[in-house]
Amino acid sequence: MMRHSLKYLLKKYAFYFGGDQPHVSWLERFRSVFGVFAGLLLVLTISRYLGDLSGVNEWLMASLGASALLVFVLPQSPMAQPWAVIAGNTLSALVGISVIHFVDDPLLAMSFAASLSILGMFILRCLHPPAAAIALIVVLGNVMHYRYAIFPIMIDSVILVLVAAAYSNLTGKSYPNRPS
């Protein structure tokens, strides 16, 4: 009886410990992880070069790793599509920068920035979860210049999407999704 109960409980609660995650082959895991590594290395190298060339110190965004996970590991997700990545990230940076100009309290500014960026992503149909982090990063870093939304945010997002499209298609994955 106890044995049956333990087996039942393990099965019932496995969901809370990753039991809802689909099985992913080791080949696909390595394909995805290598894509994230190569993609980020390429994007960051290009971005750093562009930053050096233009004299801009801010050439990377911390949430790029989360965007890379979506475009390389879950390329079929609606939240990994080019419009979601590029527009979501850029919009969230613009919202965060705008909020800083109007809200002095950091706690309120962060809350406004994240929630308003999500509202904007809903309206523009470009939901991209890492973008909400960009709104927070902008407020935490007290980024006041709208240029930041163009470089590094938009430029890095475009490069990431282009690299992901090339890599995915070279390795047998379709990205971006094509409407049927």
Side-chain angles (χ1 to χ4, degrees):
M1 179 82 171
M2 178 66 173
R3 203 173 157 105
H4 175 72
S5 297
L6 183 59
K7 188 176 180 180
Y8 169 77
L9 289 173
L10 285 173
K11 186 175 180 180
K12 181 177 179 178
Y13 293 106
F15 169 84
Y16 297 105
F17 299 99
D20 62 333
Q21 297 290 307
H23 172 74
V24 178
S25 73
W26 279 102
L27 181 63
E28 179 59 21
R29 291 176 191 188
F30 286 126
R31 188 202 70 76
S32 297
V33 169
F34 182 76
V36 170
F37 173 79
L40 284 176
L41 184 62
L42 188 57
V43 171
L44 294 174
T45 300
I46 292 169
S47 190
R48 184 173 182 184
Y49 173 75
L50 292 173
D52 290 346
L53 198 63
S54 63
V56 173
N57 290 331
E58 307 98 1
W59 50 268
L60 95 105
M61 56 182 180
S63 64
L64 194 63
S67 292
L69 182 145
L70 284 170
V71 298
F72 286 100
V73 179
L74 301 169
Q76 299 307 308
S77 169
M79 295 179 188
Q81 300 311 301
W83 175 249
V85 176
I86 297 165
N89 285 341
T90 305
L91 170 72
S92 294
L94 291 170
V95 168
I97 294 164
S98 296
V99 166
I100 291 173
H101 289 285
F102 295 104
V103 181
D104 290 331
D105 181 81
L107 295 177
L108 274 176
M110 285 188 288
S111 299
F112 271 123
S115 59
L116 291 175
S117 72
I118 292 168
L119 176 61
M121 286 186 281
F122 268 125
I123 292 168
L124 294 180
R125 300 178 55 89
C126 59
L127 284 172
H128 183 65
I134 288 175
L136 293 175
I137 290 165
V138 165
V139 173
L140 285 169
N142 201 35
V143 177
M144 302 289 286
H145 303 287
Y146 285 97
R147 178 219 25 94
Y148 186 80
I150 304 302
F151 181 73
I153 302 298
M154 187 178 76
I155 300 298
D156 284 2
S157 298
V158 168
I159 297 169
L160 182 70
V161 163
L162 291 174
V163 171
Y167 180 79
S168 292
N169 288 293
L170 285 171
T171 59
K173 291 285 182 185
S174 178
Y175 178 80
N177 278 347
R178 309 245 177 348
S180 25

